[in-house]
Amino acid sequence: MTTASIIIPSYRGATRLPRLLSALAAQTTDDWEAIVVVDGDVDGSEHVISKYSHLPIRTVVFPENRGRVAALNAGHEAARGDVLIRCDDDLEPAPDFVANHVASHSSRRQGTIGLCVNVLPRTRYSAVYGDHFGKLARNHAYRANPDGTWRYWAANVSVTRDIWQQIGTYDPHYRAYGWEDVDYGWRLHKAGIPVVIDPSLETKHHAAAVTAAIRAARAFRSGQARRIFDSLHGTNAAGPAAPEAVGLWNNAVLKTSLVLDYRRTIAMARAVDAIIHITPTPIARKLIALVVEAAVVAGHRSPENPERDF
């Protein structure tokens, strides 16, 4: 049996997959397989993958877009390995990626997380917010209490086959963007399985959120998906969905969220994108943070049904 199976959900991934598959070709171990699940081939992704037929790659191609949860579950079902590694198609793994994931499961049963290091184009957005926020988020994750690391379950994670069989599939309630991964981390935690962040597995992430507008749109959809998590696991499982009305910043976030729906979130974020080029860095950073944080709260409060935009 193959030691490691790499499950790659991919939607509109034709331009991203060559970088990922080339990185997998450079792995220090050859005891792996990859299953690329093409979630509706609208851009020639299957043809791109066919150029890597010299690698141990199999494909599952959906005739239409079914969403990330369906893709993840199909990939895990098709996997033959003992260690199951989720690797999103916008990652660029280091040569020891597979070996380090496998090694993390050698001594105990655990869920393993590798954090993603965003690689962003050199724009005003990345200079004032994207790089800064990414560094803060990683630092916060590494300082997290072991009881809270499950919140970081995301694009670069692994479990053993027996854990997958114990926990079950990603939950199909999550049909749009976000929180299917946090949900899985929570279920690992509730089952008493340690969730460990492994610094050796930090991986380059060629992030799609390269403007305030894209970042805010994802924040809004994430807030909507959080409602599903709360309905399944209770409102206390992941902590408060909105900040307490204490302090000038929290009040600004809450008041801004009251005027936002999805359309207004995009409009406000685009306005921010338009002015950060002429705004001092500290102010520009605050403006982006305000619209992003308010978008999360507004999305959670929104009566709109979540939609799959990306």
Side-chain angles (χ1 to χ4, degrees):
M1 180 180 285
T2 302
T3 297
S5 293
I6 307 162
I7 294 94
I8 305 167
S10 185
Y11 174 61
R12 297 185 182 274
T15 60
R16 299 185 296 272
L17 284 165
R19 180 171 47 226
L20 168 59
L21 299 181
S22 295
L24 293 181
Q27 292 301 295
T28 57
T29 175
D30 58 5
D31 192 8
W32 59 271
E33 63 167 1
I35 301 96
V36 183
V37 184
V38 180
D39 188 13
D41 192 0
V42 297
D43 62 352
S45 290
E46 188 175 12
H47 175 69
V48 170
I49 298 164
S50 70
K51 298 178 181 179
Y52 294 84
S53 59
H54 58 290
L55 298 177
I57 297 174
R58 293 183 283 128
T59 57
V60 176
V61 182
F62 292 167
E64 71 286 318
N65 175 236
R66 297 178 184 173
R68 184 177 294 168
V69 166
L72 284 167
N73 288 340
H76 281 81
E77 181 179 349
R80 300 167 181 160
D82 293 321
V83 175
L84 309 178
I85 304 169
R86 171 180 172 176
C87 178
D88 283 6
D89 68 1
D90 52 5
L91 300 186
E92 184 179 1
D96 56 1
F97 173 80
V98 172
N100 285 345
H101 265 294
V102 171
S104 74
H105 298 284
S106 62
S107 60
R108 70 168 180 173
R109 298 178 84 239
Q110 67 177 47
T112 300
I113 297 173
L115 297 182
C116 297
V117 181
N118 289 339
V119 178
L120 300 172
R122 294 298 86 203
T123 64
R124 182 63 174 160
Y125 167 83
S126 63
V128 302
Y129 183 81
D131 294 340
H132 175 78
F133 175 81
K135 183 177 180 179
L136 285 179
R138 292 196 307 278
N139 289 342
H140 190 269
Y142 284 127
R143 294 196 303 267
N145 186 291
D147 287 338
T149 49
W150 59 269
R151 291 176 173 85
Y152 299 95
W153 197 263
N156 173 18
V157 294
S158 62
V159 292
T160 54
R161 175 171 295 279
D162 70 299
I163 290 177
W164 172 261
Q165 292 171 341
Q166 175 185 346
I167 300 300
T169 64
Y170 283 84
D171 195 321
H173 284 96
Y174 300 91
R175 296 175 182 173
Y177 173 80
W179 280 79
E180 83 291 335
D181 36 23
V182 182
D183 180 282
Y184 199 88
W186 169 252
R187 288 155 58 201
L188 288 168
H189 173 67
K190 290 298 289 182
I193 297 169
V195 178
V196 178
I197 300 176
D198 187 339
S200 75
L201 283 163
E202 275 198 1
T203 299
K204 291 180 181 179
H205 173 222
H206 295 270
V210 296
T211 66
I214 298 173
R215 181 73 180 82
R218 291 181 172 228
F220 190 95
R221 294 305 191 203
S222 178
Q224 290 181 306
R226 162 71 186 266
R227 294 204 310 265
I228 300 172
F229 181 91
D230 289 347
S231 70
L232 293 172
H233 305 296
T235 55
N236 295 324
E244 294 183 7
V246 177
L248 291 175
W249 179 257
N250 285 355
N251 274 288
V253 169
L254 291 171
K255 289 179 180 179
T256 302
S257 73
L258 293 174
V259 302
L260 296 181
D261 56 15
Y262 187 70
R263 180 182 60 80
R264 289 173 180 166
T265 294
I266 303 304
M268 179 177 287
R270 285 176 176 166
V272 170
D273 278 323
I275 65 172
I276 59 175
H277 301 277
I278 56 173
T279 306
T281 294
I283 297 174
R285 184 173 294 157
K286 284 292 188 183
L287 288 173
I288 298 172
L290 178 63
V291 69
V292 169
E293 292 181 30
V296 174
V297 179
H300 189 264
R301 187 189 298 118
S302 172
E304 303 171 60
N305 290 323
E307 296 182 14
R308 179 174 170 81
D309 301 301
F310 21 74

